[in-house]
Amino acid sequence: MSQYAILIYEDPAFYETMSPEGWGAVVEAHSAFTRGVVERGGFITGGGALKPVTTALTIRAGTVTEGPFVESKESFLGYYTVEARDLDHAIELARLAPATGGGVELRPLHDPSAGQL
């Protein structure tokens, strides 16, 4: 099995005025995603939600500045790492990822035992 990162990009404004009921629906969507991965023979090996982009720091050439690396409407808000049989299976799993306010990026993880990137 290969490992993949499912990176979730959404518009942070989508969450700024969300009601408690809306937040409950988001939590349920992520629970449904994790169940769906397992039902389809994949494994979730990690994941997490990121604090708002207003908490981001960028470091370039040793200089620290406040704010995200790039300015954009959508921001990197969270991720999952999964094990999948192959790329097609990983795509099937990534399609399940909830990103109502944006989309997801799928990227294979590098296996350091395999040598160079």
Side-chain angles (χ1 to χ4, degrees), residues 32-54:
F33 166 74
T34 59
R35 289 189 304 272
V37 167
V38 173
E39 289 168 359
R40 288 166 176 77
F43 301 96
I44 295 178
T45 58
L50 302 177
K51 294 276 190 172
V53 295
T54 55

Side-chain angles (χ1 to χ4, degrees), residues 9 29 32 35 42 51 63 75 80 105 112:
Y9 289 87
R35 289 189 304 272
K51 294 276 190 172
T63 302
S75 299
Y80 288 96
E105 177 182 341

Side-chain angles (χ1 to χ4, degrees), residues 21-33:
E21 295 81 15
W23 184 250
V26 168
V27 170
E28 176 50 37
H30 283 274
S31 294
F33 166 74

Side-chain angles (χ1 to χ4, degrees), residues 33-91:
F33 166 74
T34 59
R35 289 189 304 272
V37 167
V38 173
E39 289 168 359
R40 288 166 176 77
F43 301 96
I44 295 178
T45 58
L50 302 177
K51 294 276 190 172
V53 295
T54 55
T55 66
L57 298 175
T58 300
I59 303 167
R60 290 180 190 236
T63 302
V64 179
T65 56
E66 292 184 3
F69 185 72
V70 295
E71 295 290 329
S72 67
K73 180 178 179 186
E74 293 179 348
S75 299
F76 179 43
L77 298 184
Y79 68 97
Y80 288 96
T81 54
V82 298
E83 285 190 7
R85 291 184 297 275
D86 54 29
L87 179 59
D88 289 335
H89 188 216
I91 291 169

Side-chain angles (χ1 to χ4, degrees), residues 6-10 74 78 93-99 102-106:
I6 299 172
L7 309 175
I8 301 170
Y9 289 87
E10 296 185 280
E74 293 179 348
L93 301 179
R95 284 184 170 144
L96 301 174
V104 301
E105 177 182 341
L106 177 67

